[in-house]
Amino acid sequence: MNNPFEYIPDRECQQAFRELIKKIETLKSSGNPDDIRVVREFEAGKMLGVLIASDASGIRHTLFAFSGQIGDSGFYHPGFVGPAFDYLRPDGYFKTKEKDISHQNIEISRFERERLSKIRYDYESARKRCETEVAEYREKCRISKNERDAKRASGNPDEAELAAMIRQSQFEKAELHRIKKRMAVKLEPFDIKLKEAQSRLEALKEKRRSDSEALQTWLFSNFRLLNARGESRNLIEIFADTPTRIPPSGAGECCAPKLLQAAYLQGWHPEAIAEYWYGKPKSGEVRVHGCHYPACRGKCLPVLRWMLQGLDIEPPLSDSFTCAAIQEPEIIFENQWFCVVNKPSGMLSVPGKGEAVSVQNWLEDRYGRDKSVKMAHRLDQDTSGLLIATFGELPYKTMQSLFATRKVTKTYVADLEGDYESRAIPQKGRIDLPLSPDWLDRPRQRVDLESGKEAMTDYEFISVAEGFSRIIFHPHTGRTHQLRVHSASVMGLGLPIAGDRLYGTKSGSQHRRLHLHAHKIEFTFPIDGKNYTFESPVPF
């Protein structure tokens, strides 16, 4: 069976998806309000899955799934497999406890809005009255003091007058202190009531938190998933060895787990699987209607690693994407401070979680540890081209400063899927779209206009041939996957880079590698004051 994280759909999956699209289209004209609602939700953006499985007699079956839920229908709709675990039954434990928590939310909201709000108002009113009384007496003391100061300055008061003024001052200070104490006594009942109400609110919130946590634990404990050997594990057991140790919300509810669970329950053997995006992209994500995508890694990698046990997967599952055979890097320049490396596509710039050799590892083996090799910047694993590595702390900090202050000019060359002229895309321009990680589907990035980090790219198309557009990029920032997302996003150019396994489409899958190359790099190095320019031929 194909690896759901690295694949091109086979003909059977592609045909099945075309049939699914036809079925969805017929729902539009069915006149059934439920069908129309489902279609609208699909069109708003939904991942759909296809699984080909064979039974004991060798008969092949096609299963369909949608990710998550759909409207009032929840987990179910005719023609699609049900959930791996149905915890949404109206009379079931989850919905009953969820209803209790909803009632707690209402109780907390009402308590804050009504009782606590009134107690706070009474407290604030009493506090202001007390502060006003203290302030009025303090003002009286100030006036009295000014009068005494004026008497002292106007002549020579006798001893009796001085003594009287001292007694008056002492009395006023003591009286101010007494007034503050009386006001504190007046305010105390209001303060006690407020603290009791706040404690009550904290207790209500703590119970809600505890009940929510217990319900989530119940869900994860009872959400059991099969593998091809017929073994079963719950989500807590599946995620126990992951860095987070806690299953993310929605784990097990994506297309692939639903499809595999349905096949296993029938006793069928999975043969091929594919997931396709249907409808509009969501929340800045790069998704194209009708294109296939890998399973998400945050929620699905631990789940599918378990569920696929017992199957022969090609290529085998790994923690990172595998690539075609990787060439060795090439050092095209070196001096006492830095070297410039031509990195092949498929090689990491710096060490990752696995055992794959990175450019930094390769350089350390070449130069030795004493050289203190550090990468001044990085390229995506699938991107080829020029990388700078430094020798020693001072060159490293110097080069880092050049990149941070945007004093390094970088030129990339890429082939994009599609004809930019037929799309009426300007021949040159600037893309300014902030980016943030898609935390549940790393390493994917997404456009995030609210809280993303600045990402700016200048571009210029230079040619069109056979449905692909060649382009030059000049990135001003160095965000992860910046050029890939700026190319593929409908808010950017809307043309994915050819061969992009994360953000590309099936029309670009004919390419064995990502068609993105760091072609040129230019800078002035402060240590020796020289201007440097390096170029690497485009290998595609």
Side-chain angles (χ1 to χ4, degrees):
M1 180 175 148
N2 62 284
N3 184 328
F5 300 97
E6 299 180 66
Y7 69 98
I8 296 173
D10 67 6
R11 291 181 181 177
E12 224 173 335
C13 285
Q14 290 175 354
Q15 179 59 34
F17 182 64
R18 285 193 290 268
E19 292 172 1
L20 177 59
I21 289 180
K22 290 178 182 177
K23 289 180 182 180
I24 294 173
E25 293 298 318
T26 60
L27 294 179
K28 288 184 181 179
S29 55
S30 69
N32 184 322
D34 290 337
D35 289 343
I36 294 171
R37 278 196 294 270
V38 167
V39 172
R40 285 176 179 168
E41 184 155 350
F42 283 174
E43 289 177 339
K46 199 68 156 173
M47 194 69 80
L48 305 179
V50 176
L51 177 71
I52 309 299
S54 59
D55 61 24
S57 302
I59 299 173
R60 297 172 86 83
H61 304 268
T62 302
L63 300 175
F64 299 106
F66 53 81
S67 63
Q69 306 169 34
I70 47 172
D72 297 333
S73 304
F75 289 133
Y76 297 97
H77 193 77
F80 296 88
V81 302
F85 173 51
D86 185 2
Y87 57 89
L88 296 182
R89 288 172 298 172
D91 57 345
Y93 180 86
F94 187 87
K95 294 301 289 185
T96 301
K97 291 296 182 181
E98 189 179 53
K99 192 179 294 182
D100 290 344
I101 293 171
S102 295
H103 288 155
Q104 291 177 41
N105 288 333
I106 294 170
E107 182 183 0
I108 289 170
S109 178
R110 183 183 296 126
F111 184 83
E112 287 182 304
R113 187 177 62 253
E114 297 175 3
R115 180 161 175 71
L116 182 58
S117 178
K118 184 180 184 307
I119 290 173
R120 279 178 175 154
Y121 176 80
D122 292 342
Y123 172 82
E124 288 299 323
S125 298
R127 184 181 61 80
K128 286 178 182 178
R129 289 195 299 270
C130 291
E131 287 178 350
T132 299
E133 191 168 337
V134 170
E136 288 175 349
Y137 191 79
R138 185 177 279 117
E139 176 63 14
K140 179 181 177 182
C141 294
R142 187 188 67 81
I143 294 171
S144 179
K145 181 179 183 301
N146 288 343
E147 290 174 350
R148 291 194 297 272
D149 291 343
K151 283 182 181 180
R152 291 190 182 97
S154 63
N156 296 312
D158 57 28
E159 290 185 7
E161 288 175 319
L162 287 172
M165 285 190 285
I166 291 171
R167 286 195 300 273
Q168 183 186 30
S169 175
Q170 291 172 339
F171 173 81
E172 288 173 350
K173 287 179 181 177
E175 182 63 13
L176 179 61
H177 180 69
R178 288 189 289 269
I179 289 173
K180 286 181 179 179
K181 289 186 70 175
R182 289 199 299 272
M183 295 305 102
V185 171
K186 279 187 179 182
L187 192 59
E188 187 175 7
F190 296 95
D191 186 48
I192 291 172
K193 272 190 176 182
L194 179 59
K195 287 178 178 175
E196 287 175 347
Q198 289 172 331
S199 295
R200 170 64 178 160
L201 178 63
E202 289 304 314
L204 291 172
K205 288 184 175 180
E206 174 58 27
K207 185 176 188 309
R208 180 181 63 182
R209 186 203 62 76
S210 176
D211 288 354
S212 297
E213 190 175 276
L215 182 58
Q216 194 79 313
T217 300
W218 176 90
L219 173 62
F220 294 152
S221 299
N222 287 273
F223 202 122
R224 305 196 70 84
L225 295 165
L226 299 166
N227 65 16
R229 302 190 187 103
E231 301 165 333
S232 172
R233 276 188 183 176
N234 64 38
L235 287 176
I236 291 178
E237 294 167 332
I238 288 171
F239 279 84
D241 295 330
T242 65
T244 62
R245 300 182 63 84
I246 300 172
S249 177
E253 297 179 31
C254 296
C255 295
K258 286 184 177 182
L259 291 166
L260 290 169
Q261 187 86 341
Y264 294 150
L265 290 173
Q266 292 285 347
W268 297 344
H269 184 273
E271 304 287 350
I273 194 169
E275 295 186 41
Y276 298 84
W277 186 256
Y278 190 98
K280 301 175 182 177
K282 288 185 175 179
S283 304
E285 294 180 356
V286 178
R287 305 287 189 189
V288 179
H289 174 72
C291 292
H292 75 274
Y293 289 91
C296 69
R297 303 184 77 79
K299 289 188 284 189
C300 286
L301 183 58
V303 168
L304 295 184
R305 182 179 283 114
W306 164 252
M307 298 189 78
L308 293 171
Q309 287 185 23
L311 296 178
D312 185 16
I313 305 299
E314 182 58 38
L317 285 181
S318 64
D319 287 324
S320 59
F321 289 112
T322 58
C323 298
I326 300 173
Q327 302 172 345
E328 272 210 342
E330 176 192 5
I331 296 175
I332 66 171
F333 175 85
E334 62 181 333
N335 61 18
Q336 67 191 89
W337 298 294
F338 64 86
C339 68
V340 181
V341 181
N342 193 17
K343 183 185 91 69
S345 174
M347 192 174 198
L348 294 168
S349 297
V350 296
K353 294 181 180 179
E355 299 179 358
V357 175
S358 66
V359 174
Q360 181 169 324
N361 296 140
W362 186 82
L363 290 172
E364 286 173 346
D365 287 344
R366 180 184 177 90
Y367 290 111
R369 297 276 178 175
D370 293 342
K371 196 76 169 178
S372 298
V373 176
K374 286 187 179 180
M375 307 309 298
H377 62 124
R378 302 180 186 185
L379 294 177
D380 292 345
Q381 181 176 359
D382 291 349
T383 304
S384 60
L386 298 175
L387 262 178
I388 298 174
T390 59
F391 307 133
E393 195 64 23
L394 178 59
Y396 175 70
K397 289 183 177 179
T398 302
M399 198 68 77
Q400 285 268 290
S401 176
L402 291 179
F403 279 98
T405 55
R406 302 180 184 179
K407 293 179 180 177
V408 179
T409 301
K410 296 169 285 183
T411 303
Y412 289 74
V413 176
D415 290 329
L416 306 190
E417 298 178 31
D419 182 339
Y420 81 94
E421 293 175 332
S422 65
R423 302 280 190 94
I425 300 173
Q427 192 257 336
K428 60 171 64 175
R430 172 169 289 183
I431 306 165
D432 190 357
L433 292 173
L435 304 177
S436 67
D438 186 342
W439 294 109
L440 291 179
D441 197 6
R442 301 295 299 272
R444 289 181 67 92
Q445 307 291 306
R446 54 188 285 271
V447 176
D448 185 348
L449 300 179
E450 293 185 1
S451 55
K453 291 185 177 180
E454 179 192 18
M456 187 185 302
T457 306
D458 288 338
Y459 72 88
E460 180 178 359
F461 287 101
I462 55 176
S463 64
V464 178
E466 299 179 356
F468 291 87
S469 300
R470 179 148 289 197
I471 192 171
I472 292 174
F473 289 119
H474 294 292
H476 294 277
T477 51
R479 306 299 174 205
T480 301
H481 296 177
Q482 176 175 320
L483 300 181
R484 298 165 73 172
V485 177
H486 279 182
S487 297
S489 172
V490 293
M491 290 184 275
L493 297 175
L495 300 176
I497 297 175
D500 194 334
R501 297 172 295 165
L502 283 177
Y503 309 102
T505 66
K506 52 193 174 187
S507 64
S509 60
Q510 58 184 280
H511 302 281
R512 293 182 59 81
R513 57 151 293 179
L514 180 72
H515 277 218
L516 178 62
H517 183 72
H519 166 62
K520 188 176 182 181
I521 196 163
E522 304 168 81
F523 59 91
T524 299
F525 195 54
I527 293 179
D528 62 4
K530 292 183 179 180
N531 298 323
Y532 289 93
T533 298
F534 303 100
E535 290 190 23
S536 166
V538 178
F540 45 81

